[in-house]
Amino acid sequence: LYTVERGPLRVTVSETGSLEALDKHTVVSGVEGKAAIQFIVPEGSYITPEDVEAGKILVQLDVSQIQENLNRQKIELAQAVAARENAASSLDIQRQQNASDIRKAELDVRFARLDLERYIGKQLADALLEACACEREGLAPVSDEPTVAATPQALIDDLLQSEQLEGEARQTIRKHDSDIGLADEEYRRQQVKLDWTRRLLEKGYVSRDEEEADRIALERRKVELERARTAREQYATYDFRKEVERLLSDMIESQDQLERTVARTNAAEEKAMADLRSRKEQEALKQARHDKIEAQLAAATIRADRPGLVVYASSQRRRRWGGGDRI
């Protein structure tokens, strides 16, 4: 029997050659470029499972430059985030402004149509707008209504004679006709009165002055009748056409303005969306760069991930090829 006790363990080499580990694990730096070593575990150290569990540091590289890059990248990332948030806010504001502009343009179209309908009536307004639309598109009117003329101008010429004329134009025509009728009646009555005055003058019942006053009154009634007829003719020839064409022009212009507003707002929204996409891409690039630098910072601390004996790679190179750095 022999008592077991602690003592030296002699390993006797009985063969020539080189020794290599059967289970070799290479630990390399994940830091890009060159970095100075601030700390390294001594060669020949044995890493135990407890060391692995505790995260024992094998190598600590200099992180001053990496930290500086990370700080600078954090600032750039914060600026990119702020730019992206500002672009998103600008897009929301642009969409709200677009909705407001379109609502206003639609109201202008609605009000312009109401003004036209109030002046000549809804049916004639519809017919006139249909004729304008067909003329602009180079098409023939498709409506079966007899009020639909070949051209808007031809339709305007026939509006005053149309039985469907309503609104302010109808009221104005009626007022002119009423003024003409009243003036004509006053003229006829004054004519009758003058005839009686002249008969009485022949018999000596009235004076020459009374006959002259009735004659002047008749002339005044005649002028009033001519003025009423002229007013109606001027309204039918000029004022009516001018007002209809003005209202129609306002209606067409409001429709064109609505189309321009929709096109402009769509372009503005597309521009804002493109800016937001660009800001998001820039933020993603800054974030990726930030994450990469953080990974480099973490890689500067190399920890043991398995137990074993520490051997410097340069030691093996020196044995095989000679020369080289210690690490």
Side-chain angles (χ1 to χ4, degrees):
L1 300 178
Y2 186 82
T3 302
V4 178
E5 58 184 10
R6 185 176 300 275
L9 175 62
R10 293 181 175 85
V11 179
T12 301
V13 179
S14 59
E15 299 290 342
T16 60
S18 60
L19 295 176
E20 291 186 5
L22 181 63
D23 182 13
K24 181 174 63 173
H25 174 61
T26 303
V27 178
V28 297
S29 170
V31 177
E32 296 178 352
K34 293 183 178 181
I37 296 176
Q38 292 181 332
F39 165 79
I40 186 168
V41 68
E43 187 175 29
S45 300
Y46 186 78
I47 307 302
T48 65
E50 290 76 13
D51 293 334
V52 175
E53 185 177 357
K56 181 180 179 64
I57 297 177
L58 299 180
V59 182
Q60 178 62 59
L61 302 178
D62 182 21
V63 296
S64 58
Q65 185 62 43
I66 299 177
Q67 188 64 55
E68 182 180 349
N69 293 339
L70 180 60
N71 293 336
R72 184 166 53 251
Q73 192 62 32
K74 284 182 178 179
I75 295 175
E76 294 182 3
L77 178 59
Q79 293 174 345
V81 171
R84 188 259 304 162
E85 293 176 349
N86 183 62
S89 177
S90 297
L91 177 59
D92 292 338
I93 294 174
Q94 186 64 57
R95 284 173 173 170
Q96 294 175 7
Q97 183 63 47
N98 291 350
S100 177
D101 292 344
I102 292 176
R103 283 195 301 269
K104 182 180 181 302
E106 289 174 344
L107 280 177
D108 291 341
V109 173
R110 188 176 300 113
F111 291 160
R113 185 182 185 91
L114 289 175
D115 289 341
L116 183 61
E117 291 179 357
R118 181 178 63 182
Y119 194 69
I120 61 176
K122 186 178 185 307
Q123 291 182 338
L124 291 183
D126 292 342
L128 189 57
L129 292 175
E130 180 183 350
C132 289
C134 293
E135 184 181 53
R136 296 179 68 179
E137 297 177 4
L139 302 175
V142 297
S143 176
D144 296 331
E145 295 292 333
T147 55
V148 178
T151 64
Q153 292 299 326
L155 180 57
I156 293 176
D157 293 338
D158 298 335
L159 286 180
L160 283 177
Q161 287 74 38
S162 174
E163 296 180 354
Q164 297 178 343
L165 181 64
E166 299 175 355
E168 292 181 1
R170 170 64 71 183
Q171 297 299 324
T172 302
I173 287 295
R174 288 176 178 174
K175 182 179 183 303
H176 282 300
D177 291 341
S178 176
D179 292 343
I180 292 174
L182 291 175
D184 184 65
E185 180 64 23
E186 293 292 337
Y187 175 77
R188 295 177 183 276
R189 295 180 64 178
Q190 188 62 39
Q191 180 68 53
V192 172
K193 183 179 180 182
L194 178 60
D195 291 341
W196 279 103
T197 301
R198 286 175 176 174
R199 292 179 185 179
L200 293 176
L201 178 62
E202 292 176 356
K203 296 181 180 181
Y205 294 123
V206 296
S207 64
R208 176 66 64 178
D209 292 340
E210 291 178 317
E211 187 269 342
E212 182 66 16
D214 287 344
R215 187 186 64 79
I216 294 175
L218 179 63
E219 291 295 329
R220 186 181 298 111
R221 298 300 183 189
K222 182 178 180 181
V223 170
E224 292 176 354
L225 176 59
E226 291 299 327
R227 184 183 296 115
R229 288 173 177 171
T230 302
R232 187 190 189 286
E233 181 179 358
Q234 181 178 357
Y235 174 76
T237 306
Y238 302 106
D239 297 343
F240 174 77
R241 291 183 58 88
K242 178 181 177 180
E243 186 65 13
V244 171
E245 291 185 5
R246 183 187 69 81
L247 293 174
L248 181 60
S249 176
D250 291 346
M251 177 64 192
I252 295 175
E253 177 59 27
S254 64
Q255 291 176 331
D256 293 342
Q257 182 61 35
L258 175 59
E259 294 177 0
R260 290 193 294 268
T261 299
V262 171
R264 175 178 56 79
T265 54
N266 288 339
E269 182 173 347
E270 286 294 332
K271 182 177 181 299
M273 291 176 63
D275 183 61
L276 178 58
R277 287 193 296 267
S278 175
R279 298 299 182 182
K280 285 182 177 180
E281 291 175 357
Q282 293 178 12
E283 180 186 358
L285 292 176
K286 300 294 184 182
Q287 184 67 56
R289 177 62 178 166
H290 175 271
D291 295 343
K292 183 177 181 180
I293 296 177
E294 277 194 335
Q296 290 287 293
L297 183 62
T301 302
I302 304 176
R303 300 180 183 275
D305 59 354
R306 66 185 61 193
L309 183 68
V310 175
V311 178
Y312 294 165
S314 56
S315 298
Q316 297 181 9
R317 288 198 300 269
R318 185 168 60 253
R319 292 194 187 99
R320 294 181 181 178
W321 302 288
D325 296 334
R326 180 62 177 165
I327 304 302

